[in-house]
Amino acid sequence: MRLRNWIAVVVSVLLLAAAGVIGFLVNRSALRAADTVHRADSSALGTNNGTLTGQLQVNSAAELSSILAAHPLDLGRNNAADRGALTAAAAKSTTFQYGLLTADMDGNVLTASRKSGLPPAGDAGWAPMRAQLAQGQAGFSSVMTVNGTALAAVAVPVQVNDSVIGYLIGLNQVEKTSLQTYLVRLSTQAHQTVVVDSAGVVGASSDRTLIGTRIDPAVRAELGADGVRFVEYRSGKTDMIAIVYGGLPSGWSYVRTQTKSSFDGVVHARSQTLNLTLLAMLLIGVAGISVLGYRTQVQRRRADERFQALIQHAPDLVSVLDGRGRIVFSSPSSQAVLGFKTGALIGHSVFELVHPDDEPEMRERLSRLLDEPDGAIRLQCRIRSADGEYRWFDFTASNQLHNPSLDGVVINARDVSETKAFHERLAHEAQHDPLTGLPNRRRMQDALGSSLSDAPVAVLFVDLDGFKPVNDAYGHEVGDELLRQVADRLAACVRETDVLSRVGGDEFVVLMPGVLSEKDAATMSGRIRYVLELPFRIAGQEIRIGASIGVHLAPAAENPDAALRAADHAMYAVKHAGGGRRVGGEHGRVGRHRASG
């Protein structure tokens, strides 16, 4: 009897030991899968934010190019005209309000919008910018400090006849840039986000107190490499991890840091708990717990803790699909994110939630994934919420059908609707005038080139008469409101197929595709002059202005720049003849050429 009892104990111990080893292996596999998904999501987030950071910096260089287009520069030393143009441009700029300056090919300052507060020529922060300029591209400096103020410089070459004769340089106070505003908006208690120059000096941060400081040496050693890198290091006695995205056009890097424990999160904590639980079960088994009951208990506890660690506490949507795309598990977060009650989606096909336009691609991608054990895919598509609204999600799908612990396709989804909306807003702002909301010069030139490829276009160049005295008499706020009201009146005049744009301070362009009739163009010119000569009511003042309108009837296939210059010439001829009120609808005259940018 004793022998049989010992045999039962030994068998129980062996079986429990085997079950324990399997449990450890399954838990490690699940932990690795969770880490892989988590790191992939973190890498994608770092890439998205790093790309956005780079776009914001590229936009600053584009603003300098726009200033050059609007203000031709002489590049003389201490040139009064250049200083006036630089001062006016800096006052209007949202990025370079600190100051603008010109420099010769050796980097020597020629003319600046401010007399003091400029970084010295020997500051090491100029070196990266000069190196990039030498390669024929826009240049970005490192962070430089002047009188306690952290500054960064952006430069673009000034060209004449395709030859570089000098540089236009913009200085921004890094604490007041749109990039700094964006990082503050991203701030959380869980992590810190910084953007650093090539030397590791912080130029923007979710914590303003870090601006101008240097990041940890371990992170500095990984700067400059393209793509995303994970850097693990110690800060004092705390294990830390940093997500580093390098390769920005400026040579800077995007860095997000947090403690290793907060990055690993509940998955690692529960995994350790599970391992200790399995060990305890083995010890209890040695004391004589029955084999079948003990194995059932181990499996139940292992399954419960695994799902709690991997799914229930996940911040994003986590779902498991069977081989036909039906949902067999959906995390409780589906209620908070999509509005569906917990368990309501079980048994439904995932394609019932996908936007009809995105369904074919998702079906095709998931079908291919089923043929790739351990394969993973990433895609973005629109998902319907409980109230019928479609929202954009970033999906990571992993084929775990061969994994007995999961037995399905594991999907991790994150709502990226706000990020996509932000990117779309950036694209809109790049092609529209911020004051009036009308298409800007770039958008108008694209539309003109597209229209002239297969149809004639009537080009009307509208310049306001008497706008500058209004600005001088009543101030810029009244002038801005006048421009907005002018835009509204012009919008009411044009046809649905016409393109109305603001191309300069008080200059507007109307494109009339398909029009090659002088009578039609003259009718539109008369209508515009009539509505603009009606009095405007702004801030209790009655304001009257007029308009000089140059018209050019461009046949199909004409060069877009030539068509715009011809309309500009015609407008200038009207302006020299006394303005729109004196010469009426005359538009065939040619005046002095002004570069159309």
Side-chain angles (χ1 to χ4, degrees):
M1 186 70 179
R2 291 182 178 178
L3 180 59
R4 282 187 294 177
N5 288 339
W6 278 111
I7 292 175
V9 170
V10 171
V11 171
S12 298
V13 170
L14 292 176
L15 291 176
L16 286 173
V21 171
I22 293 173
F24 284 122
L25 294 177
V26 170
N27 182 48
R28 185 171 64 177
S29 175
L31 180 61
R32 287 178 176 175
D35 279 341
T36 299
V37 172
H38 181 40
R39 291 216 170 201
D41 288 343
S42 298
S43 178
L45 179 62
T47 300
N48 288 341
N49 288 337
T51 301
L52 180 58
T53 298
Q55 185 60 50
L56 289 173
Q57 293 181 323
V58 170
N59 287 347
S60 66
E63 182 177 343
L64 285 179
S65 297
S66 298
I67 292 174
L68 273 179
H71 302 282
L73 301 173
D74 182 71
L75 292 191
R77 185 173 297 277
N78 295 322
N79 184 279
D82 282 3
R83 180 175 290 107
L86 295 175
T87 301
K92 294 180 180 179
S93 174
T94 57
T95 305
F96 304 111
Q97 292 183 345
Y98 185 86
L100 293 165
L101 56 96
T102 57
D104 61 19
M105 297 294 292
D106 296 324
N108 300 311
V109 176
L110 299 174
T111 305
S113 65
R114 56 186 300 150
K115 297 181 179 179
S116 61
L118 301 177
D123 195 307
W126 293 110
M129 183 187 78
R130 291 168 179 164
Q132 292 170 335
L133 289 172
Q135 296 175 1
Q137 61 190 39
F140 299 84
S141 77
S142 298
V143 176
M144 301 178 284
T145 303
V146 178
N147 299 326
T149 301
L151 304 175
V154 183
V156 295
V158 180
Q159 296 184 338
V160 173
N161 295 327
D162 296 329
S163 297
V164 178
I165 64 171
Y167 305 103
L168 174 62
I169 303 174
L171 292 170
N172 62 64
Q173 188 172 346
V174 296
E175 290 188 2
K176 299 181 179 180
T177 61
S178 57
L179 176 59
Q180 173 62 26
T181 302
Y182 173 65
L183 291 188
V184 170
R185 192 180 305 132
L186 292 179
S187 62
T188 69
Q189 294 182 350
H191 60 261
Q192 289 181 338
T193 304
V194 297
V195 177
V196 300
D197 62 21
S198 57
V201 179
V202 177
S205 172
S206 56
D207 180 359
R208 295 181 183 275
T209 62
L210 297 179
I211 293 178
T213 64
R214 288 182 179 271
I215 57 175
D216 191 276
V219 181
R220 288 205 303 269
E222 299 296 329
L223 298 180
D226 292 342
V228 173
R229 293 194 176 193
F230 291 86
V231 182
E232 297 185 23
Y233 63 101
R234 289 182 65 86
S235 177
K237 297 182 178 181
T238 305
D239 290 330
M240 305 290 292
I241 186 168
I243 301 173
V244 181
Y245 179 83
L248 300 182
S250 61
W252 290 31
S253 299
Y254 167 90
V255 181
R256 194 185 82 171
T257 61
Q258 64 186 111
T259 62
K260 187 69 165 57
S261 60
S262 68
F263 179 80
D264 291 337
V266 70
V267 174
H268 281 251
R270 292 300 176 89
S271 175
Q272 184 177 10
T273 301
L274 181 58
N275 289 335
L276 292 175
T277 302
L278 290 172
L279 179 60
M281 289 179 178
L282 288 174
L283 294 176
I284 294 173
V286 173
I289 297 179
S290 68
V291 175
L292 294 178
Y294 197 74
R295 288 184 62 189
T296 302
Q297 182 183 6
V298 170
Q299 290 173 353
R300 183 182 299 115
R301 296 175 88 180
R302 184 173 66 231
D304 289 344
E305 292 184 6
R306 181 173 64 248
F307 276 103
Q308 287 178 0
L310 293 178
I311 299 175
Q312 186 171 358
H313 298 285
D316 300 329
L317 289 178
V318 179
S319 301
V320 179
L321 310 181
D322 63 15
R324 290 182 292 175
R326 292 181 305 181
I327 300 172
V328 297
F329 175 83
S330 180
S331 62
S333 56
S334 62
Q335 182 169 1
V337 178
L338 292 175
F340 293 103
K341 292 183 178 180
T342 302
L345 297 176
I346 304 299
H348 290 269
S349 171
V350 70
F351 302 111
E352 296 177 16
L353 305 177
V354 178
H355 193 282
D357 293 342
D358 302 332
E359 181 180 345
E361 180 184 3
M362 189 171 187
R363 283 186 180 275
E364 190 271 336
R365 297 286 299 277
L366 286 178
S367 176
R368 283 192 293 169
L369 178 64
L370 295 178
D371 297 329
E372 301 178 15
D374 280 329
I377 61 171
R378 297 213 43 175
L379 73 157
Q380 289 188 350
C381 67
R382 287 160 288 185
I383 295 297
R384 176 176 55 83
S385 63
D387 59 7
E389 177 187 1
Y390 282 97
R391 308 192 64 174
W392 280 99
F393 280 80
D394 185 81
F395 280 83
T396 300
S398 174
N399 184 353
Q400 297 295 317
L401 285 168
H402 64 287
N403 188 332
S405 300
L406 298 171
D407 190 26
V409 176
V410 180
I411 291 182
N412 186 283
R414 171 170 296 173
D415 188 341
V416 294
S417 300
E418 292 185 3
T419 301
K420 286 192 71 71
F422 185 75
H423 281 284
E424 290 171 357
R425 186 165 67 252
L426 282 180
H428 179 272
E429 291 174 356
Q431 294 192 340
H432 288 78
D433 172 42
L435 178 63
T436 63
L438 295 177
N440 59 17
R441 179 181 290 271
R442 178 186 300 176
R443 180 70 185 90
M444 178 274 296
Q445 288 177 320
D446 291 343
L448 179 57
S450 176
S451 297
L452 281 176
S453 64
D454 57 7
V457 178
V459 183
L460 282 67
F461 204 109
V462 182
D463 186 272
L464 303 183
D465 296 334
F467 176 74
K468 186 177 184 303
V470 173
N471 251 351
D472 295 341
Y474 302 109
H476 290 292
E477 291 185 2
V478 171
D480 288 347
E481 177 59 25
L482 177 58
L483 290 174
R484 282 190 284 266
Q485 291 192 21
V486 166
D488 290 341
R489 292 191 183 183
L490 291 177
C493 289
V494 300
R495 306 172 304 172
E496 184 177 353
T497 57
D498 295 340
V499 176
L500 170 63
S501 62
R502 181 186 177 211
V503 297
D506 60 346
E507 296 177 337
F508 298 82
V509 169
V510 177
L511 305 180
M512 301 177 67
V515 172
L516 199 57
S517 166
E518 184 174 345
K519 179 180 178 181
D520 292 341
T523 300
M524 177 62 77
S525 297
R527 186 183 307 142
I528 291 174
R529 280 195 303 273
Y530 173 76
V531 300
L532 295 185
E533 289 174 1
L534 295 174
F536 292 84
R537 195 73 180 176
I538 303 175
Q541 303 290 332
E542 183 178 285
I543 297 174
R544 290 181 176 273
I545 61 172
S548 295
I549 304 174
V551 179
H552 175 66
L553 304 178
E558 182 174 348
N559 182 276
D561 291 337
L564 190 61
R565 284 196 298 269
D568 188 16
H569 277 307
M571 179 280 295
Y572 220 80
V574 174
K575 180 74 73 173
H576 271 292
R581 294 182 179 178
R582 178 175 299 180
V583 299
E586 183 180 358
H587 58 267
R589 303 171 58 186
V590 178
R592 180 172 61 86
H593 166 62
R594 294 187 300 163
S596 58

